[in-house]
């Protein structure tokens, strides 16, 4: 007969499931707006249309390299911008931070005695782990966005804008009175 799992192991399992769900929700809510921020392609919140207004749907003009990944020279990197990869990287950052906070000095001479946080409150370690996951989302997105900007002929990245010869701004017609 198997004994019931230790409450600490059960609590860790519940926390890990909650962290994975939180990372998935975070990615769902922020992936498209982050794409819109990085590439100025007009991707937006999922509840406001998501990628429906992205310049990838225009017949002419530049097309967002993330939304149009299959038709770029970097199509082989499509796996890296998929939600599953991003969420997995976020959960991995969460777990690594969790381990760094709880591993004692016998496991690694690089960590301070008693782990990174000697006597943390209950909330501080969870907030630290969540912050590590969110920073992973932002850093991974930024690095991949930069790679896609440099590896394609897309004219916009963050605040870098290359107005095309026909007065386009990342695929959107521009004029002096109307920027959309």
């Amino acid at each position: 007969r198997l004994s019931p799992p230790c409450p600490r192991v059960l609590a860790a399992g519940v926390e890990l499931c909650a962290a994975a769900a939180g990372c998935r929700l975070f990615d769902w809510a922020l992936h498209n707006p982050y794409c819109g921020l990085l590439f100025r392609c007009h991707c937006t919140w999922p509840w406001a249309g998501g990628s429906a207004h992205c310049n990838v749907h225009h017949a002419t003009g530049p097309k967002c390299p993330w939304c149009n990944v299959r038709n770029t020279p970097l199509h082989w990197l499509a796996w890296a911008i998929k939600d599953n990869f991003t969420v997995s990287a976020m959960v991995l950052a969460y777990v690594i931070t969790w381990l760094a906070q709880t591993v004692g000095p016998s496991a690694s001479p690089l960590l301070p005695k008693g782990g990174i946080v000697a006597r943390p409150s209950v909330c501080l370690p969870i907030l630290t782990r969540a912050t590590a996951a969110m920073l992973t989302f932002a850093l991974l997105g930024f690095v991949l966005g930069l790679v896609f900007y440099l590896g394609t002929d897309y004219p916009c990245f963050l605040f870098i804008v290359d107005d095309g010869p026909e007065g386009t701004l990342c695929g959107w017609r521009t004029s002096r009175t109307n920027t959309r």
Side-chain angles (χ1 to χ4, degrees):
R1 184 176 155 140
L2 296 173
S3 61
C6 174
R8 194 170 173 186
V9 172
L10 187 58
V14 168
E15 182 182 342
L16 185 58
C17 289
C23 289
R24 182 74 177 133
L25 180 64
F26 187 88
D27 180 72
W28 173 80
L30 292 178
H31 175 83
N32 285 337
Y34 198 43
C35 178
L37 172 72
L38 292 175
F39 296 113
R40 295 179 173 214
C41 61
H42 292 262
C43 284
T44 187
W45 305 104
W47 52 86
S51 63
H53 302 290
C54 180
N55 61 16
V56 74
H57 302 295
H58 294 184
T60 61
K63 302 199 182 307
C64 171
W66 274 4
C67 297
N68 193 37
V69 66
R70 289 185 183 95
N71 299 314
T72 69
L74 300 176
H75 62 273
W76 57 274
L77 272 176
W79 59 271
I81 60 171
K82 296 292 183 192
D83 294 333
N84 290 341
F85 180 77
T86 303
V87 171
S88 297
M90 292 171 70
V91 171
L92 182 62
Y94 189 96
V95 169
I96 289 171
T97 306
W98 191 354
L99 291 173
Q101 289 174 328
T102 57
V103 169
S106 61
S108 172
L110 302 175
L111 294 174
K113 190 172 189 172
I116 290 178
V117 182
R119 285 190 170 167
S121 69
V122 174
C123 293
L124 181 61
I126 293 173
L127 291 175
T128 303
R129 296 190 285 269
T131 300
M134 291 183 279
L135 287 174
T136 298
F137 173 89
L139 185 61
L140 179 64
F142 177 81
V143 169
L144 287 171
L146 186 60
V147 166
F148 273 81
Y149 171 69
L150 296 173
T152 64
D153 61 353
Y154 192 73
C156 299
F157 182 71
L158 284 175
F159 304 107
I160 302 169
V161 178
D162 179 18
D163 286 340
E166 298 175 11
T168 60
L169 176 65
C170 299
W172 292 88
R173 288 257 175 239
T174 60
S175 69
R176 293 177 192 252
T177 59
N178 184 7
T179 59
R180 187 167 177 179

